[in-house]
Amino acid sequence: APQPTVQLRAATSADDSFVVEMARHACVIEDRPLPGPEDDEVLELLPPPGVVPIIAEDQSGTPVGAVWTYQGSPPLRSDADSVPLPELCISVAPGHRGVGIGGMLLDALFADLAKGHDTMCTNVHRRNPAKRLYERKGFRIVGQGNGPLGIALVKGLR
């Protein structure tokens, strides 16, 4: 398949509102209305200090997707030493989905995270089509995620 014509770059403070927008999309299931930018569930997904999202932008320089990790509370999964695993947050803007941008963002995140982490995790809703992408990218189901329809997935990075 042809690679999408997007470029990846580190987020800057100019991307803050786009990152919030992507967090709003990341926590919504299918056709539910987007939660507001101040919603607790959105705030929890925002990148913590020291975490710089990776932004995908199209040829015109418009951001079309973003990926980063955050710390869920309570943590979704922890390692053998009880250190919480970084949790995935990814979103591709509506109208740009299904062309491989998510996969590019994930590959870039894995390469970046592998420098400091052995493993990462994510929660996916049972009905979320992204589940197939995650499994293709090496995430494996490890059990119950957040809420009755949540599935926890873990990926080894090294």
Side-chain angles (χ1 to χ4, degrees):
Q3 278 298 299
T5 45
V6 296
Q7 298 215 312
L8 302 185
R9 61 172 176 79
T12 66
S13 54
D15 296 305
D16 287 354
S17 61
F18 179 72
V19 167
V20 170
E21 197 57 22
M22 291 295 94
R24 292 174 69 199
H25 280 282
C27 59
V28 79
I29 306 300
E30 245 93 286
D31 309 317
R32 302 226 188 119
L34 282 186
E38 300 299 320
D39 197 298
D40 284 346
E41 110 180 278
V42 175
L43 297 175
E44 184 183 2
L45 292 180
L46 295 180
V51 169
V52 179
I54 300 167
I55 303 285
E57 58 182 24
D58 66 13
Q59 304 97 305
S60 68
T62 305
V64 293
V67 68
W68 65 89
T69 56
Y70 69 100
Q71 201 47 78
S73 170
L76 182 65
R77 289 289 183 275
S78 298
D79 69 14
D81 300 320
S82 304
V83 178
L85 300 181
E87 290 183 41
L88 172 71
C89 187
I90 184 170
S91 191
V92 174
H96 297 273
R97 295 176 183 163
V99 295
I101 296 172
M104 285 177 66
L105 283 166
L106 285 173
D107 288 342
L109 179 76
F110 300 154
D112 213 32
L113 264 187
K115 296 170 200 159
H117 296 274
D118 292 328
T119 318
M120 67 177 301
C121 65
T122 189
N123 177 73
V124 67
H125 190 281
R126 221 169 268 286
R127 293 203 309 269
N128 187 335
K131 181 167 157 286
R132 289 192 301 276
L133 170 64
Y134 299 158
E135 290 182 291
R136 231 180 25 244
K137 290 289 182 182
F139 281 93
R140 56 177 210 287
I141 295 175
V142 291
Q144 184 68 45
N146 300 328
L149 297 177
I151 301 168
L153 299 102
V154 165
K155 176 181 168 67
L157 296 165
R158 295 177 176 171

